[in-house]
Structures are given as structure tokens and as C-alpha cells.
């Protein structure tokens, strides 16, 4: 990378079904905490990128009243109408350009505000699919789940097992919203059937929340306590869901290849210590194992069964509970980056995994993980 | 908000704006819908890579070129994936139970390289299953003239 850029601080709200705070107050909390932890004040020079969405917020230019709580008044501020991992990417670019040394990245939305599954339907082709009312994020995900499971002999128990692992992991995360200690595959499979093969507990329910992260280069990064360095980054954009194969996550695979090349990683399964993966639906985590090169194509189910990705395994995935534990549209991928950074820094308290030096975090936007971002992070 | 009053206790206002948009379906989808009126499945074809798009696309993303060619496809196709829907999204954005589960399939029409998402009649489905298109030129809305699929045998 042209400059060494580090994550130097972060903050998250608790994630909740219906937060007892407006989104502005949630953003104020995380922005102030993250800036303070970075030793910054509003009068200091930094750029701001937020991730939020007009459809979710019910107003155009959904970032317009976030300027005040984001500490962005009269600063260089703009929005990524995507997952928050994209906001992190744009902030990184501003620093790499040399114009800025510090960026404040924020992701937020409130599921208690919007009509749960309606905004997602707006992603589908308005001249055909959207009008026919068959595709939504969940039915599309089920089509992908079936395509993947059928192609590679993945069982419902394996998909359910991922959800159970993440629900159990979330029980150790005090910020998580959706948690169940001791969850098992049978319970997940027995939950309400929505779009077969996906049951309700295989879906990461949307909730309210915000998170923020400060990244920096130069003096601030050098002087920071326990900086987490951004070693590699990649992103890719795949076709509309009906125009590509659904049995593989090719945008994630391409994004990972680019990020690994930048980070000097040639054998991810041995060089990566931990991953935080943005899985909106449980099968996506199995597909991500393959796309991230943790196992071979079609081996996601067997790789999961081996226990490697459990929190006591060799390559724990979603120790935080992942999106299953807390799914704030526009913040979920950014939260993955923050959780991965927490593990490297040793800030993860009751869910801390020992000896995490290199971690991978992913974010996704669009139906069936159409667009993917990968961050590779490393400690000192 | 007065001191000590939590957000959960203050009124929640509905957003009374329900904007309607008038999209043009575009020349290519117009041609597609005109074909359905005559019981034909019309797909666009890329002059560069010969990829066949159904529903038709005006631009081939792979060749960065305009798909000027048209091909009429046979009525047969293959189920690439499917889901048994037990719910649909209701007007309030929450899942509503369907009276009867229905199959939503991704079908690759013979001769096409992309899929159509549509209802599959007959109650059961499998990946690789051969199906035939059901066209209803009299459909209440033109977007539903491609009514769905039924088992080929």
C-alpha cells in the first residue's frame, strides 16, 4: 500500500430491536467515543465517511442530519449508500490519496424505523422482478442456498449448524441483539420455515445500531497504542443475481484474492488467525469459507464440520456472532472490521481469542452478496 | 424531548409520503412484453460473446457492448434452483403466511445464459428438472404475462 494506514479506535452502540435512542444520538455516541479514544477533537483535521441509506431512513440524502452528530460540520464529509465496509474503503482511499491523514468512518441504520423487508425489494429489477413480488432478500437468498447446497451436497444440518454457532457465539457478546447460548442445529431447523431451505433462525434479523472507527496514517498511526494495520483490501462487483451462478461467491473470491495479494498472504487457511464474515443468511458463511480460500470449492460444509471455525478452533469465524448476532444494514460489514480489530488488539473481553495476529473481515451489499469488500488486518 | 423522557415513550410518527414512479420499461423490455402478447419468448443476444439474455438486456456487461440481436427461445427450460415459499412480504414489510406454499424457481430457458425467477406449478421441484414456460397474454398486469413454468412431462 502507498501509505501505512491503521485502525486506531472504534466504538459501537449496543445492537437492539428498537433502540431507545434516535439514530442521531446513536451516531453522536459512537462518533464521540471513537474520536476521544483516538485523542481527537472536533476542531482537529479529519475526513468523515458515513454509510446509511435513503430507503431505510425514509428521506433523501439520509446523511444530511448526520453531519452534526458525526462531528462533520464544515468538514470533508460524504456517504456510501452501501455496507459500512465500503465507507471504510472510501476513507482509506482519502488517506491513500495523501490529502488526509485521518478518517472517521460511521455505519448506521434503524430497523425499527423502516418496514422490515420492503426496502430490500427496491434492489430488484423494476421492469420485471420487483413488480412480480416473488424476489426479496430472503427468497433470493433461499435460491442461492439451494443452488449451493445442491451443487456440493451441503446439508440443512450444516447450514443450521452455522446459525447455531453464531447464535451461541453472540451469547458472549454483550452488544449482540440476537443470541442463544447452547443453540443447536435441530433448534434452527425446527424454527419457522420461511423460504425452504431457509428457516427463520438461519436469517440475520435486522436491528438498530451504529458503529464508528477511526483510521489514520502518519504520526497519529505511529503514536497510537496498539494500532491495527490495514494490510490488504479488495472489492468486486458481480452481476445481477439472475445473470450469474449462485453456487459460488465470485465477488468475494475476487475481493479476497486482491486483498491477500496486497497483504502477502498465499495460504489463507494457515496465515489467517480469525475471520469476521458478513453473513446475512447462514449458508453464506459456508460459501465465504470457500471464497476466502479457507477450504476448497464445495468443501464449506466439511470444513465447518471439522470444527475449525468454532471459537476454540484453529480459524474461528464470527466469534462476535457475526451478522446473525447483530445485523444493522449499512453497519454490519463495518462492525466485522471493528470486531476483527478488537480481536487483534485484545479488546474482545469474554470472546477474546488468544494469539490473533492476522484477521480477515468482509462486508457485502446487494442480493445474494452481489458486491463484496475484504479487509486483511494485522497487529504490530 | 423533555428531560428524563426516553425515546420509546415519545410518539412515533408515520411517514405519509408514498411516492409513485413511472419507469419506462425501455425498448428492449417493451419488445420482450410485445413478444409475450403473441406467446413468444424473445431474448437479446450479445454480438461479442453470443451470450443470450432472458429477460433481455440492452447491454452485455461482459463485452461492454449493446445487444442488438434478438432470438426466439423454445418453451422448454431447466430449473437451476428453487425455493418453497411459505410466506410472502406483506404491505407492512413483514412476512405473511401463504395459504398454500408455492415454488419459486430460477429457470434457465433452453438457449439462454441467464435465468428467470418465476412460479413453478405442480407443487414439487428439483434442480435439473425440465420445465415449460406458461405464457398468459391476458394477465392482469403485463409484467405477469410470463406467468410461470410447469413440469415438462
Amino acid at each position: 500500500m502507498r501509505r501505512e494506514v491503521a485502525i486506531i479506535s472504534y466504538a459501537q452502540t449496543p445492537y437492539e430491536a428498537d433502540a431507545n435512542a434516535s439514530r442521531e444520538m446513536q451516531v453522536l455516541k459512537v462518533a464521540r467515543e471513537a474520536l476521544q479514544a483516538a485523542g481527537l477533537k472536533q476542531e482537529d483535521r479529519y475526513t468523515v465517511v458515513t454509510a446509511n441509506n435513503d430507503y431505510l431512513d425514509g428521506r433523501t440524502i439520509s446523511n444530511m442530519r448526520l453531519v452534526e452528530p458525526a462531528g462533520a460540520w464544515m468538514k470533508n464529509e460524504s456517504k456510501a449508500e452501501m455496507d459500512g465496509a465500503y465507507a471504510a474503503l472510501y476513507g482509506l482511499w482519502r488517506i491513500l490519496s495523501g490529502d488526509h491523514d485521518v478518517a472517521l468512518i460511521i455505519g448506521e441504520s434503524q430497523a425499527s424505523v423502516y418496514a422490515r423487508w420492503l426496502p430490500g425489494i427496491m434492489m430488484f429489477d423494476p421492469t420485471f422482478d420487483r413488480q412480480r413480488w416473488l424476489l426479496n432478500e430472503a427468497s433470493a437468498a433461499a435460491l442461492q442456498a439451494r443452488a449451493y447446497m445442491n451443487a456440493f451436497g451441503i446439508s440443512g444440518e450444516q447450514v443450521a449448524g452455522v446459525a447455531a454457532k453464531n447464535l451461541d457465539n453472540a451469547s458472549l457478546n454483550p452488544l449482540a441483539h440476537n443470541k442463544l447460548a447452547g443453540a443447536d442445529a435441530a433448534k434452527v431447523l425446527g424454527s419457522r420455515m420461511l423460504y425452504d431451505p431457509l428457516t427463520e433462525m438461519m436469517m440475520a434479523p435486522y436491528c438498530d445500531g451504529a458503529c464508528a472507527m477511526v483510521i489514520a496514517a502518519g504520526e497519529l498511526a505511529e503514536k497510537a497504542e496498539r494500532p491495527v494495520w490495514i494490510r490488504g483490501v479488495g472489492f468486486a462487483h458481480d452481476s445481477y443475481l439472475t445473470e450469474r451462478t449462485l453456487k459460488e461467491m465470485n465477488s468475494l473470491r475476487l475481493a479476497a484474492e486482491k486483498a491477500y495479494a496486497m497483504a502477502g498472504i498465499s495460504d489463507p487457511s494457515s496465515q489467517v488467525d480469525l475471520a469476521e464474515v458478513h453473513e446475512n443468511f447462514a449458508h453464506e458463511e459456508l460459501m465465504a469459507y470457500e471464497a476466502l480460500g479457507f477450504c476448497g470449492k464445495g468443501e464449506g460444509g466439511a470444513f465447518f464440520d471439522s470444527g475449525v471455525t468454532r471459537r476454540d478452533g484453529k480459524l474461528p469465524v464470527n466469534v462476535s456472532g457475526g451478522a446473525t448476532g447483530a445485523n444493522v444494514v449499512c453497519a454490519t460489514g463495518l462492525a466485522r472490521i471493528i470486531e476483527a480489530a478488537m480481536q487483534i488488539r485484545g479488546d474482545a473481553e469474554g470472546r477474546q481469542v488468544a494469539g490473533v495476529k492476522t484477521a480477515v473481515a468482509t462486508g457485502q451489499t446487494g442480493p445474494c452478496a452481489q458486491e463484496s469488500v475484504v479487509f486483511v488486518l494485522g497487529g504490530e | 424531548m423533555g428531560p428524563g423522557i426516553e425515546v420509546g415513550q415519545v410518539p412515533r410518527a408515520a411517514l405519509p409520503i408514498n411516492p409513485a414512479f413511472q419507469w419506462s420499461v425501455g425498448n428492449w423490455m417493451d419488445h420482450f412484453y410485445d413478444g409475450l402478447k403473441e406467446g413468444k419468448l424473445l431474448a437479446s443476444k450479445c454480438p461479442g460473446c453470443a451470450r443470450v439474455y432472458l429477460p433481455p438486456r440492452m447491454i452485455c456487461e461482459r463485452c461492454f457492448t449493446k445487444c442488438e440481436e434478438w432470438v426466439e427461445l423454445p418453451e422448454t427450460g431447466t430449473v437451476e434452483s428453487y425455493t418453497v415459499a411459505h410466506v410472502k412480504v406483506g404491505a407492512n414489510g413483514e412476512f405473511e403466511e401463504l395459504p398454500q406454499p408455492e415454488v419459486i424457481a430460477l429457470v434457465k430457458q433452453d438457449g439462454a445464459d441467464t435465468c428467470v425467477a418465476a412460479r413453478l406449478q405442480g407443487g414439487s421441484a428439483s434442480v435439473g428438472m425440465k420445465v415449460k414456460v406458461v405464457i398468459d397474454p391476458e394477465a392482469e398486469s403485463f409484467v405477469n404475462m410470463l406467468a410461470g413454468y410447469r413440469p415438462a412431462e
Side-chain angles (χ1 to χ4, degrees), chain A residues 5-354:
Chain A
V5 182
I7 297 166
I8 61 169
S9 69
Y10 33 70
Q12 303 181 80
T13 61
Y15 298 108
E16 298 169 276
D18 189 358
N20 210 358
S22 65
R23 66 176 197 139
E24 287 77 11
M25 293 310 288
Q26 293 203 304
V27 168
L28 181 69
K29 173 183 161 61
V30 294
R32 289 178 73 148
E33 283 181 18
L35 288 171
Q36 190 177 19
L40 291 164
K41 295 191 171 65
Q42 197 193 356
E43 51 268 34
D44 292 327
R45 184 179 156 86
Y46 55 86
T47 182
V48 181
V49 190
T50 67
N52 42 92
N53 181 293
D54 294 358
Y55 271 110
L56 302 183
D57 190 43
R59 76 185 103 183
T60 53
I61 320 179
S62 54
N63 56 325
M64 73 176 169
R65 299 256 44 170
L66 289 185
V67 168
E68 305 91 329
W73 179 67
M74 296 302 273
K75 289 189 190 296
N76 171 326
E77 178 272 347
S78 64
K79 165 179 87 165
E81 191 132 356
M82 316 272 277
D83 179 74
Y86 272 89
L89 183 68
Y90 299 165
L92 174 65
W93 287 344
R94 289 183 191 176
I95 292 175
L96 292 177
S97 76
D99 281 353
H100 289 276
D101 287 337
V102 186
L104 171 63
I105 315 298
I106 296 167
E108 65 84 18
S109 68
Q110 293 199 323
S112 60
V113 168
Y114 57 87
R116 208 61 48 117
W117 295 95
L118 287 183
I121 291 176
M122 299 295 176
M123 292 191 293
F124 295 92
D125 180 359
T127 69
F128 190 69
D129 288 321
R130 189 191 305 182
Q131 313 283 351
R132 291 156 64 83
W133 212 256
L134 296 174
L135 294 184
N136 53 62
E137 287 158 293
S139 64
L143 291 169
Q144 179 160 48
R146 175 91 60 197
Y148 169 65
M149 292 165 73
N150 186 76
F152 302 115
I154 305 295
S155 70
E157 284 74 15
Q158 288 168 327
V159 174
V162 170
K165 167 182 74 73
N166 291 345
L167 284 162
D168 184 55
N169 283 349
S171 70
L172 298 178
N173 180 353
L175 299 178
H177 144 71
N178 185 38
K179 52 180 95 179
L180 184 62
D184 61 19
K187 187 164 181 70
V188 173
L189 283 171
S191 64
R192 183 185 181 193
M193 182 56 79
L194 297 173
Y195 290 97
D196 193 347
L198 297 181
T199 65
E200 189 164 35
M201 287 175 76
M202 295 176 188
M203 303 189 181
Y206 301 132
C207 63
D208 294 4
C211 58
M213 174 172 95
V214 174
I215 58 175
E219 200 183 344
L220 200 62
E222 297 297 337
K223 283 186 178 169
E225 265 181 68
R226 298 174 295 148
V228 174
W229 298 99
I230 299 172
R231 302 288 191 206
V233 64
F235 62 103
H237 197 141
D238 207 343
S239 315
Y240 185 64
L241 80 160
T242 59
E243 295 167 21
R244 61 175 144 123
T245 179
L246 291 180
K247 65 187 182 197
E248 295 163 56
M249 285 185 170
N250 284 321
S251 70
L252 184 60
R253 179 179 54 77
L254 279 171
E257 283 171 7
K258 291 185 222 176
Y260 290 154
M262 214 184 247
I265 287 177
S266 54
D267 180 12
S269 66
S270 69
Q271 289 173 275
V272 175
D273 301 316
L274 174 140
E276 280 286 330
V277 167
H278 182 170
E279 71 340 333
N280 284 329
F281 301 89
H283 65 283
E284 292 179 354
E285 186 176 309
L286 297 175
M287 298 181 77
Y289 297 161
E290 301 175 21
L292 292 171
F294 296 164
C295 64
K297 192 192 229 181
E299 295 171 0
F303 188 70
F304 173 74
D305 286 343
S306 75
V308 176
T309 61
R310 298 194 169 272
R311 62 176 179 266
D312 58 355
K314 195 173 134 298
L315 204 178
V317 177
N318 284 339
V319 173
S320 66
T324 299
N327 196 9
V328 175
V329 182
C330 295
T332 304
L334 180 56
R336 304 281 68 70
I337 298 171
I338 291 170
E339 286 287 340
M342 289 170 83
Q343 289 285 349
I344 289 172
R345 270 191 159 187
D347 278 353
E349 298 179 339
R351 60 191 185 281
Q352 182 65 47
V353 173

